[in-house]
Amino acid sequence: MHRRTALSVSAALLVAAPLLSACSGEARPGTAAVVGGERITTSALQAQVNDVRAAQNRTGGAAAELIASTPNLERQKLDAILQSRVIDKMAETAGITATEKEIEDERKAYVDENQGAEQFEALLLQKGAIAPGQAERFLTNQVLLTKLTAKYGNGKLEEPARAAAKALDIEVNPRYGAWDVQQIKLGAGETPWITQRTAPEQAPPAGA
C-alpha cells in the first residue's frame, strides 16, 4: 500500500521522539503529562518545540508562514507524544515490535517516494511540525500501525486504541488542555485519531 508521497496522515502519526522520565505520580509543577505512571516533563516538551522552531527558522522565506501555521505548537507536540504512547501500548498488548531494519526500510521508502531526504524532511516539517531529528518516531509509528492494521483489520484500530489509552491512565497539565480518552486526543483537535492512507496523492506546493 502506497502512503508516503504526501505524508497525508493525522497528527497522531506525526510525532516527536519519546521524552518520558522514570518518575511516577500525579501531574505537578514541571510536568506536562503523566502516562502510565511516567512523567513527560515540560522541559522535555519545550525542547521538542524549540527543535521545531529552529527547523522552521532554517527554511528562510517560508519560516514566517510555517511558524504562523503552528500557533499551538506545545499542545500539538504533546498530543503527538501522548498518541505515540498509545500506539506503543497497543503494540505491546498485541506483541508487535518495530525492528531497526523495518524502520530504516520505511525511511528509505519515504525518501525514495519524495525524491530525496531533503524533500522528505521538508514535508515532515510542513505537514506535521516534525524537525529532522524527530523523524525516527514518526517512522517507528508507521511500522507499528501497519502491523496493527494487519492484525486488527483496516479501520479497526479505534477500540484497541481506546483500551490502550484507558490502561495508560493519562493525566495532562491543564495548561495544555484535557485528554479525551474516547476521542484519543488532546483538546479540541480537528483530525480523527488515525487516518491511514489507501492511495497516494500529490503533496501541495510549498507555502500553499
Side-chain angles (χ1 to χ4, degrees):
M1 177 179 67
H2 299 285
R3 64 191 185 282
R4 301 178 178 93
T5 303
L7 299 177
S8 178
V9 293
S10 74
L13 312 187
L14 299 173
V15 292
L19 296 164
L20 297 174
S21 74
C23 300
S24 62
E26 297 181 356
R28 53 188 180 274
T31 299
V34 179
V35 185
E38 298 179 319
R39 289 199 307 141
I40 300 172
T41 65
T42 55
S43 59
L45 175 60
Q46 189 60 49
Q48 287 290 304
V49 171
N50 291 345
D51 285 346
V52 172
R53 290 300 188 213
Q56 290 173 329
N57 279 312
R58 288 195 297 269
T59 62
E65 186 170 354
L66 284 173
I67 292 170
S69 71
T70 52
N72 299 311
L73 186 56
E74 284 186 339
R75 178 182 291 183
Q76 181 178 345
K77 299 302 284 186
L78 180 57
D79 189 28
I81 295 169
L82 295 176
Q83 293 185 45
S84 179
R85 290 293 290 167
V86 172
I87 293 171
D88 284 345
K89 185 64 175 179
M90 292 168 66
E92 178 186 352
T93 300
I96 288 170
T97 59
T99 68
E100 290 186 11
K101 183 179 185 305
E102 289 169 334
I103 294 168
E104 285 309 306
D105 287 347
E106 192 79 358
R107 182 190 301 275
K108 183 178 185 303
Y110 272 108
V111 167
D112 290 348
E113 291 188 19
N114 287 283
Q115 292 78 53
E118 185 175 344
Q119 179 66 0
F120 170 52
E121 291 177 354
L123 284 171
L124 281 178
L125 187 63
Q126 180 185 4
K127 291 287 188 178
I130 298 175
Q134 299 169 0
E136 187 80 1
R137 184 68 229 197
F138 167 80
L139 295 165
T140 300
N141 277 8
Q142 296 303 295
V143 173
L144 292 176
L145 286 165
T146 296
K147 291 185 174 185
L148 286 165
T149 297
K151 179 179 178 64
Y152 294 111
N154 191 37
K156 298 184 181 298
L157 298 185
E158 187 172 333
E159 287 307 314
R162 284 178 178 168
K166 183 176 180 180
L168 289 171
D169 192 23
I170 296 170
E171 299 178 39
V172 175
N173 186 324
R175 168 184 173 184
Y176 303 103
W179 176 255
D180 187 332
V181 71
Q182 291 301 311
Q183 296 296 318
I184 319 172
K185 64 183 180 182
L186 177 63
E190 297 178 356
T191 306
W193 184 67
I194 291 177
T195 303
Q196 288 199 301
R197 290 172 46 74
T198 57
E201 64 186 49
Q202 294 301 312

